[in-house]
Amino acid sequence: MEAASLKILLVEDDALLASGLLVALRRASYTVEHVGDGPAAIQALAHNPFDLMVLDLGLPTLDGTEVLRVVRAGANPIPVLVLSARDATRDRILGLDLGADDYLVKPFELDELLARMRVLLRRRSGRQVNQVTVGDLVLNPENLSTTWQGRPVELQRLEFMLLLQLAENPQRVFNRAQLEESLYGWGEGAESNTIDVHVHHLRRKIDAAVIKTIRGVGYRIGDLTK
C-alpha cells in the first residue's frame, strides 16, 4: 500500500510540534488530519476512516489515556502510536495495556517515528513485519539488524534508516533533500555532504551495488535481485 493512500490522524496539542509533524508526514506522502484535543480525536474517528493514529497523552479536556479507553471500548482496531513526554515505566505499561500498539517518548527523532509507523502500517495490512528483503539484502526494522548474503552487517542507526528508506521504495529515486528530511527531520541542519557520506559507508560495508546513483537526481536502491 502506497503512503499516499494512507490516512493518519495526528492528535497533538503542542502547536509547534504538530506543525512540524504535519510538514514531515505530508512530505513522506501521508494524508494527515490534525486535531488538538481528546474529544476532537474521538469525533474524527467516529466519522472518518484512518489507517493509524499518532496520539499525544497530555491533551487538554480529555487525556490521551481516556481517548485510548474510548477507542478500544468501541472495538476500533486502528493502530495507535503514542507520543508522550511521560517516560516512566508505569506510564508506558499503562499506555500499552490500554491498547496502544507502540509508545515513543518525547523528544524523539523523526526517522524513528516514521520507521515505527511503517511497522504498524505493515502489520495492519498483513504484510511481513519483521523484515524488508531486496535480493540478498535483509533489513529488520524492529531491531535495526542487517544481513547481506546471509552474513550480519553492522550499520550505524542513520545508515540503517537511509538504507531502509530506499529498500522500502525500490522503484523510487530520492534526492538528497528528501533523504535528509527523512533522517534528520524538520529544523535540523545536516552537512551538505552528509547523505553522500552515508552512501559511501553503506557501499563499503555491504557492496558497491547496494545503492545506485541516478546522476543529477539522487539515489535509489540497487538492482540486487540479479
Side-chain angles (χ1 to χ4, degrees), residues 48-114:
N48 299 282
F50 293 93
D51 295 287
L52 183 144
M53 175 166 61
V54 177
L55 175 67
D56 179 29
L57 293 187
L59 297 171
T61 312
L62 190 68
D63 191 76
T65 56
E66 293 303 317
V67 174
L68 263 176
R69 284 192 177 96
V70 171
V71 169
R72 295 313 188 211
N76 188 331
I78 183 172
V80 178
L81 172 57
V82 165
L83 296 181
S84 179
R86 303 173 188 174
D87 59 355
T89 300
R90 64 179 180 274
D91 292 315
R92 300 188 194 196
I93 292 172
L94 176 61
L96 295 170
D97 282 347
L98 287 174
D101 297 274
D102 200 356
Y103 195 110
L104 186 59
V105 175
K106 300 177 182 177
F108 57 90
E109 296 192 40
L110 178 61
D111 62 308
E112 183 176 3
L113 170 65
L114 292 174

Side-chain angles (χ1 to χ4, degrees), residues 108-148:
F108 57 90
E109 296 192 40
L110 178 61
D111 62 308
E112 183 176 3
L113 170 65
L114 292 174
R116 291 185 183 220
M117 287 176 58
R118 290 193 294 267
V119 168
L120 294 181
L121 290 165
R122 282 197 299 272
R123 185 178 299 156
R124 176 181 173 88
S125 68
R127 290 170 53 199
Q128 181 80 13
V129 172
N130 64 340
Q131 66 183 35
V132 176
T133 302
V134 182
D136 291 328
L137 177 70
V138 180
L139 304 170
N140 188 324
E142 294 188 324
N143 60 18
L144 304 187
S145 65
T146 306
T147 62
W148 169 249

